[in-house]
Amino acid sequence: MSDFILELKGIVKTFPGVKALDGVNLQIRPGEVHALLGENGAGKSTLIKVITGIYQPDQGEIKIFGKQVKFSGTLQAQQSGIAAIYQDPTVFPDLKVMENVYMGHHPVIPLFKRIDWRRIRRETTDLLKSLEMDIDPMAPMKSLSVAERQLVEIAKALSFKSKILIMDEPTAALTLQEVQELFKIINRLRANGTAIIYISHRLEETFEIADRVTVLRDGQYIDTKNVADVTMDQLIQMMVGRKLSALFPKVEVERGPQVLEVKDLTKNGEFFDIFFELFKGEIVGLAGLVGAGRTELARAIFGVDQVDSGEIKIEGQKVLIREPDDALKNGIAYLPEDRQQHGLVLPMTITQNVTLPILKKFALWGRLDRRKEDQTSAEYVKLLNIRTAGLWQKALQLSGGNQQKVVLAKWLATKPKVLILDEPTKGVDVGAKAAIYKIISELAAEGMAILMISSELPEILGMSDRILVMHEGRITAQFMRAEATQEKILASATGRSGHSCVQAVSAR
């Protein structure tokens, strides 16, 4: 019998005009966590669809425990013990946990040909207990957190007796504590012999959880390494095909005059007595756990949500921001966390997205100057090096990194004084991250004031001049770049810091 539970050899998959996979190899051992890395467009998603039977390869072979298999659909892959869990769990929110776990394969009472609900409840309870999950099998799915929904998806996979589990960006929407809980469950699965293919853009997770790593680039197999034998820089070079001399290209800039002052800002139930300043040429990182109030604060400053008290000043002048249009008029722009839901109109072209906030500038006698629109859009496509077939290309056709650049272009076109970035590199690969970091640094060097919200501590530490930390709706600490560490930030984010709020936010 083969040492590998899953083997793919020479996998080729071609779509019209594109060779998505070109001779890809992958070997997975029982009980190992195998990271699958690559930039957006490297072929990871296509390969996963081949493994799960959604796509059939044009060439190559797939083996389960040394026996060659051919999947004509997802059911055959499931019957061979393969299951996939995606970033956004596919659940039925109005159904119970146990109904979701056994959806599509309900056990029945043979005599009555009815669903055996007692057995479903019992087996769901046993599955959850085996994973040490404290979840009620009778609870409606909509009552669960994102993390709990993902755990239910794991239980569902195990209900199929799956021995190969694919996790695609499983931590993207999780808090640091939830990530650690997920890792504990992964370790239990590994101990029980389950093989896990782990996909994430967060490279630090690879070193924490994975045994081996396979890298794809431009649809081709690059190499497989033991995680213990590679460095972060080596992995990045394998993924992008070149050295990234500095992932965080921070440019030291002399701080200019105050641009933004937020004083005693309160939105009941979300955040309280927020005070901070933002200066010209400065990048201020805003850290904290999910639910700390960071996004809610950003939305309030931009006028999406209304505050109950407090004031906002731009260049020393008090401003009233009741809606996003007020914020734009006062030189504030906001790049939201969810680019697809709140940052882009996906069916619209690049030009239409870039010029949307400033459409009035191109209107003349009730008609749009399309040529002027394209000129403006082309300027920012060039500035941000957006890889596109043309200005007419729809946003939904772009990679995640290029979509994020289009959102950034849209707000830069408004010529802001203050740019608020909420998770600016969420879901983009390391090459796109480096490009976005470079753009952010250049904008600050040109004098823009930037507030950057991020859940990735290396990003916060690598890009910020100052770091503010929020916990339960309040700013609990401030650190200058030179003194900041992950340990200090985490202590403040979890309420374990001794810093006072008054001391924390003084920027002078």
Side-chain angles (χ1 to χ4, degrees), residues 215-253:
V215 176
L216 304 183
R217 185 172 72 238
D218 297 329
Q220 296 183 325
Y221 170 80
I222 301 301
D223 205 352
T224 297
K225 298 280 190 182
N226 292 320
V227 170
D229 297 334
V230 290
T231 65
M232 180 84 77
D233 288 343
Q234 288 171 334
L235 277 184
I236 291 172
Q237 186 169 0
M238 290 166 66
M239 290 167 65
V240 302
R242 65 189 188 281
K243 284 187 177 181
L244 292 180
S245 54
L247 182 58
F248 303 109
K250 185 74 179 73
V251 179
E252 295 299 328
V253 179

Short mmCIF file of all heavy atoms in Angstrom, two decimals, residues 215-253:
data_model
loop_
_atom_site.label_atom_id
_atom_site.label_comp_id
_atom_site.label_asym_id
_atom_site.label_seq_id
_atom_site.Cartn_x
_atom_site.Cartn_y
_atom_site.Cartn_z
N VAL A 215 4.16 24.45 -3.14
CA VAL A 215 3.99 25.78 -3.73
C VAL A 215 3.67 25.65 -5.22
O VAL A 215 4.33 24.90 -5.95
CB VAL A 215 5.25 26.64 -3.54
CG1 VAL A 215 5.10 27.99 -4.25
CG2 VAL A 215 5.54 26.85 -2.06
N LEU A 216 2.64 26.37 -5.65
CA LEU A 216 2.30 26.50 -7.08
C LEU A 216 2.59 27.93 -7.53
O LEU A 216 2.46 28.87 -6.75
CB LEU A 216 0.81 26.19 -7.31
CG LEU A 216 0.26 24.85 -6.84
CD1 LEU A 216 -1.21 24.73 -7.24
CD2 LEU A 216 1.06 23.69 -7.41
N ARG A 217 2.95 28.07 -8.80
CA ARG A 217 3.14 29.41 -9.38
C ARG A 217 2.74 29.36 -10.85
O ARG A 217 3.24 28.53 -11.61
CB ARG A 217 4.59 29.88 -9.24
CG ARG A 217 4.79 31.31 -9.72
CD ARG A 217 6.18 31.85 -9.39
NE ARG A 217 7.22 31.25 -10.20
CZ ARG A 217 8.27 30.61 -9.72
NH1 ARG A 217 8.39 30.43 -8.42
NH2 ARG A 217 9.18 30.10 -10.53
N ASP A 218 1.82 30.22 -11.21
CA ASP A 218 1.34 30.30 -12.60
C ASP A 218 0.88 28.95 -13.12
O ASP A 218 1.15 28.57 -14.27
CB ASP A 218 2.43 30.87 -13.52
CG ASP A 218 2.82 32.29 -13.15
OD1 ASP A 218 1.94 33.04 -12.65
OD2 ASP A 218 3.99 32.66 -13.33
N GLY A 219 0.18 28.19 -12.26
CA GLY A 219 -0.37 26.91 -12.67
C GLY A 219 0.61 25.76 -12.69
O GLY A 219 0.25 24.64 -13.07
N GLN A 220 1.86 26.02 -12.27
CA GLN A 220 2.88 24.98 -12.31
C GLN A 220 3.34 24.59 -10.91
O GLN A 220 3.32 25.41 -9.99
CB GLN A 220 4.09 25.44 -13.14
CG GLN A 220 3.76 25.69 -14.61
CD GLN A 220 4.99 26.07 -15.40
OE1 GLN A 220 5.87 26.75 -14.91
NE2 GLN A 220 5.04 25.64 -16.66
N TYR A 221 3.73 23.33 -10.78
CA TYR A 221 4.28 22.83 -9.53
C TYR A 221 5.70 23.35 -9.36
O TYR A 221 6.54 23.20 -10.25
CB TYR A 221 4.26 21.30 -9.55
CG TYR A 221 5.00 20.64 -8.41
CD1 TYR A 221 4.42 20.53 -7.15
CD2 TYR A 221 6.28 20.12 -8.61
CE1 TYR A 221 5.10 19.91 -6.10
CE2 TYR A 221 6.97 19.49 -7.58
CZ TYR A 221 6.37 19.40 -6.32
OH TYR A 221 7.05 18.79 -5.29
N ILE A 222 5.97 23.98 -8.21
CA ILE A 222 7.32 24.51 -7.97
C ILE A 222 8.13 23.56 -7.10
O ILE A 222 9.19 23.09 -7.50
CB ILE A 222 7.25 25.90 -7.30
CG1 ILE A 222 6.49 26.88 -8.21
CG2 ILE A 222 8.66 26.43 -7.01
CD1 ILE A 222 7.08 27.07 -9.59
N ASP A 223 7.60 23.20 -5.90
CA ASP A 223 8.35 22.30 -5.04
C ASP A 223 7.50 21.95 -3.81
O ASP A 223 6.52 22.62 -3.51
CB ASP A 223 9.65 22.96 -4.57
CG ASP A 223 10.73 21.94 -4.20
OD1 ASP A 223 10.41 20.73 -4.16
OD2 ASP A 223 11.87 22.36 -3.93
N THR A 224 7.92 20.89 -3.13
CA THR A 224 7.35 20.51 -1.84
C THR A 224 8.48 20.45 -0.83
O THR A 224 9.52 19.85 -1.11
CB THR A 224 6.64 19.15 -1.91
OG1 THR A 224 5.55 19.23 -2.83
CG2 THR A 224 6.12 18.73 -0.55
N LYS A 225 8.27 21.06 0.33
CA LYS A 225 9.31 21.14 1.35
C LYS A 225 8.73 20.79 2.72
O LYS A 225 7.54 21.01 2.98
CB LYS A 225 9.89 22.55 1.43
CG LYS A 225 10.58 23.04 0.17
CD LYS A 225 11.98 22.49 0.06
CE LYS A 225 12.75 23.17 -1.07
NZ LYS A 225 14.12 22.61 -1.22
N ASN A 226 9.59 20.29 3.60
CA ASN A 226 9.24 20.21 5.01
C ASN A 226 9.24 21.64 5.56
O ASN A 226 10.18 22.41 5.30
CB ASN A 226 10.24 19.36 5.79
CG ASN A 226 10.18 17.90 5.42
OD1 ASN A 226 9.10 17.35 5.21
ND2 ASN A 226 11.33 17.26 5.35
N VAL A 227 8.21 21.99 6.30
CA VAL A 227 8.12 23.36 6.82
C VAL A 227 9.34 23.69 7.68
O VAL A 227 9.82 24.83 7.66
CB VAL A 227 6.81 23.55 7.61
CG1 VAL A 227 6.80 24.87 8.36
CG2 VAL A 227 5.61 23.47 6.67
N ALA A 228 9.85 22.71 8.41
CA ALA A 228 11.01 22.94 9.27
C ALA A 228 12.26 23.29 8.48
O ALA A 228 13.22 23.83 9.05
CB ALA A 228 11.27 21.70 10.12
N ASP A 229 12.25 23.02 7.16
CA ASP A 229 13.46 23.22 6.35
C ASP A 229 13.43 24.49 5.52
O ASP A 229 14.35 24.72 4.72
CB ASP A 229 13.66 22.02 5.41
CG ASP A 229 13.89 20.72 6.17
OD1 ASP A 229 14.37 20.79 7.32
OD2 ASP A 229 13.56 19.65 5.62
N VAL A 230 12.38 25.32 5.65
CA VAL A 230 12.30 26.54 4.83
C VAL A 230 12.08 27.75 5.73
O VAL A 230 11.59 27.64 6.85
CB VAL A 230 11.17 26.47 3.78
CG1 VAL A 230 11.49 25.48 2.71
CG2 VAL A 230 9.83 26.18 4.44
N THR A 231 12.42 28.92 5.20
CA THR A 231 12.18 30.19 5.88
C THR A 231 11.04 30.92 5.19
O THR A 231 10.64 30.57 4.06
CB THR A 231 13.43 31.07 5.86
OG1 THR A 231 13.71 31.43 4.48
CG2 THR A 231 14.63 30.34 6.45
N MET A 232 10.55 31.94 5.85
CA MET A 232 9.50 32.77 5.25
C MET A 232 9.97 33.36 3.92
O MET A 232 9.26 33.34 2.92
CB MET A 232 9.11 33.88 6.21
CG MET A 232 8.03 34.81 5.71
SD MET A 232 6.37 34.18 5.98
CE MET A 232 6.16 34.50 7.73
N ASP A 233 11.18 33.88 3.89
CA ASP A 233 11.71 34.51 2.67
C ASP A 233 11.82 33.50 1.53
O ASP A 233 11.55 33.82 0.37
CB ASP A 233 13.09 35.13 2.93
CG ASP A 233 13.00 36.39 3.78
OD1 ASP A 233 11.89 36.96 3.88
OD2 ASP A 233 14.03 36.81 4.34
N GLN A 234 12.23 32.26 1.85
CA GLN A 234 12.33 31.24 0.82
C GLN A 234 10.96 30.88 0.25
O GLN A 234 10.81 30.71 -0.97
CB GLN A 234 13.01 29.99 1.40
CG GLN A 234 14.49 30.17 1.66
CD GLN A 234 15.09 29.00 2.44
OE1 GLN A 234 14.39 28.31 3.19
NE2 GLN A 234 16.40 28.77 2.27
N LEU A 235 9.96 30.78 1.11
CA LEU A 235 8.60 30.49 0.63
C LEU A 235 8.10 31.61 -0.27
O LEU A 235 7.50 31.35 -1.32
CB LEU A 235 7.64 30.31 1.81
CG LEU A 235 7.59 28.94 2.48
CD1 LEU A 235 6.52 28.92 3.55
CD2 LEU A 235 7.32 27.84 1.46
N ILE A 236 8.32 32.84 0.14
CA ILE A 236 7.87 33.98 -0.67
C ILE A 236 8.54 33.95 -2.04
O ILE A 236 7.90 34.16 -3.06
CB ILE A 236 8.16 35.31 0.06
CG1 ILE A 236 7.25 35.44 1.28
CG2 ILE A 236 7.97 36.50 -0.88
CD1 ILE A 236 7.59 36.62 2.17
N GLN A 237 9.86 33.66 -2.07
CA GLN A 237 10.56 33.61 -3.34
C GLN A 237 10.02 32.48 -4.22
O GLN A 237 9.89 32.65 -5.44
CB GLN A 237 12.06 33.43 -3.10
CG GLN A 237 12.88 33.51 -4.40
CD GLN A 237 14.37 33.59 -4.12
OE1 GLN A 237 14.80 33.57 -2.97
NE2 GLN A 237 15.17 33.66 -5.17
N MET A 238 9.69 31.34 -3.63
CA MET A 238 9.10 30.25 -4.39
C MET A 238 7.75 30.65 -4.97
O MET A 238 7.41 30.29 -6.10
CB MET A 238 8.92 29.02 -3.49
CG MET A 238 10.22 28.33 -3.09
SD MET A 238 10.00 27.17 -1.71
CE MET A 238 8.96 25.93 -2.49
N MET A 239 6.96 31.42 -4.22
CA MET A 239 5.62 31.80 -4.65
C MET A 239 5.63 32.85 -5.75
O MET A 239 4.85 32.78 -6.70
CB MET A 239 4.82 32.32 -3.46
CG MET A 239 4.44 31.24 -2.45
SD MET A 239 3.83 31.94 -0.91
CE MET A 239 2.32 32.75 -1.48
N VAL A 240 6.51 33.86 -5.62
CA VAL A 240 6.47 34.99 -6.56
C VAL A 240 7.57 34.93 -7.61
O VAL A 240 7.56 35.71 -8.56
CB VAL A 240 6.55 36.34 -5.80
CG1 VAL A 240 5.42 36.46 -4.81
CG2 VAL A 240 7.89 36.51 -5.11
N GLY A 241 8.53 33.99 -7.45
CA GLY A 241 9.56 33.83 -8.47
C GLY A 241 10.68 34.86 -8.38
O GLY A 241 11.50 34.97 -9.29
N ARG A 242 10.69 35.61 -7.29
CA ARG A 242 11.72 36.62 -7.11
C ARG A 242 11.84 36.93 -5.62
O ARG A 242 10.96 36.60 -4.86
CB ARG A 242 11.37 37.91 -7.86
CG ARG A 242 10.13 38.60 -7.32
CD ARG A 242 9.66 39.74 -8.20
NE ARG A 242 8.58 40.50 -7.57
CZ ARG A 242 7.32 40.13 -7.54
NH1 ARG A 242 6.95 38.99 -8.09
NH2 ARG A 242 6.41 40.88 -6.95
N LYS A 243 12.92 37.59 -5.25
CA LYS A 243 13.06 38.00 -3.86
C LYS A 243 12.26 39.28 -3.62
O LYS A 243 12.23 40.18 -4.45
CB LYS A 243 14.53 38.26 -3.53
CG LYS A 243 15.35 36.99 -3.34
CD LYS A 243 16.74 37.34 -2.84
CE LYS A 243 17.55 36.07 -2.58
NZ LYS A 243 18.91 36.37 -2.06
N LEU A 244 11.58 39.32 -2.49
CA LEU A 244 10.97 40.57 -2.04
C LEU A 244 11.89 41.12 -0.97
O LEU A 244 11.90 40.67 0.18
CB LEU A 244 9.56 40.32 -1.47
CG LEU A 244 8.50 39.87 -2.48
CD1 LEU A 244 7.17 39.66 -1.77
CD2 LEU A 244 8.33 40.88 -3.59
N SER A 245 12.72 42.09 -1.37
CA SER A 245 13.75 42.58 -0.45
C SER A 245 13.15 43.12 0.83
O SER A 245 13.75 43.05 1.89
CB SER A 245 14.58 43.67 -1.14
OG SER A 245 13.73 44.70 -1.63
N ALA A 246 11.94 43.69 0.73
CA ALA A 246 11.28 44.20 1.93
C ALA A 246 9.78 44.05 1.75
O ALA A 246 9.20 44.72 0.92
CB ALA A 246 11.65 45.65 2.18
N LEU A 247 9.20 43.13 2.52
CA LEU A 247 7.76 42.96 2.43
C LEU A 247 7.04 44.21 2.92
O LEU A 247 6.01 44.60 2.39
CB LEU A 247 7.33 41.74 3.26
CG LEU A 247 5.84 41.39 3.24
CD1 LEU A 247 5.35 41.13 1.81
CD2 LEU A 247 5.56 40.17 4.12
N PHE A 248 7.61 44.84 3.96
CA PHE A 248 7.03 46.08 4.49
C PHE A 248 7.98 47.24 4.16
O PHE A 248 8.87 47.55 4.95
CB PHE A 248 6.84 45.96 6.00
CG PHE A 248 5.98 44.79 6.41
CD1 PHE A 248 6.54 43.69 7.04
CD2 PHE A 248 4.62 44.79 6.17
CE1 PHE A 248 5.76 42.61 7.42
CE2 PHE A 248 3.83 43.71 6.54
CZ PHE A 248 4.40 42.63 7.16
N PRO A 249 7.79 47.87 3.01
CA PRO A 249 8.72 48.92 2.58
C PRO A 249 8.42 50.26 3.25
O PRO A 249 8.05 51.24 2.61
CB PRO A 249 8.47 48.98 1.07
CG PRO A 249 7.03 48.61 0.93
CD PRO A 249 6.72 47.64 2.03
N LYS A 250 8.55 50.30 4.58
CA LYS A 250 8.19 51.50 5.34
C LYS A 250 9.19 52.62 5.03
O LYS A 250 10.40 52.44 5.17
CB LYS A 250 8.19 51.20 6.83
CG LYS A 250 7.72 52.36 7.69
CD LYS A 250 6.22 52.55 7.57
CE LYS A 250 5.75 53.69 8.45
NZ LYS A 250 6.11 55.01 7.92
N VAL A 251 8.65 53.76 4.62
CA VAL A 251 9.48 54.94 4.36
C VAL A 251 9.36 55.87 5.56
O VAL A 251 8.26 56.22 5.99
CB VAL A 251 9.01 55.68 3.09
CG1 VAL A 251 9.85 56.92 2.85
CG2 VAL A 251 9.07 54.74 1.89
N GLU A 252 10.51 56.25 6.13
CA GLU A 252 10.50 57.15 7.27
C GLU A 252 10.19 58.57 6.78
O GLU A 252 10.90 59.10 5.93
CB GLU A 252 11.84 57.13 8.00
CG GLU A 252 12.17 55.78 8.64
CD GLU A 252 11.16 55.38 9.70
OE1 GLU A 252 10.61 56.29 10.36
OE2 GLU A 252 10.90 54.17 9.84
N VAL A 253 9.13 59.15 7.32
CA VAL A 253 8.67 60.47 6.88
C VAL A 253 8.56 61.37 8.09
O VAL A 253 8.07 60.96 9.15
CB VAL A 253 7.29 60.37 6.19
CG1 VAL A 253 6.80 61.75 5.75
CG2 VAL A 253 7.35 59.42 5.00
#
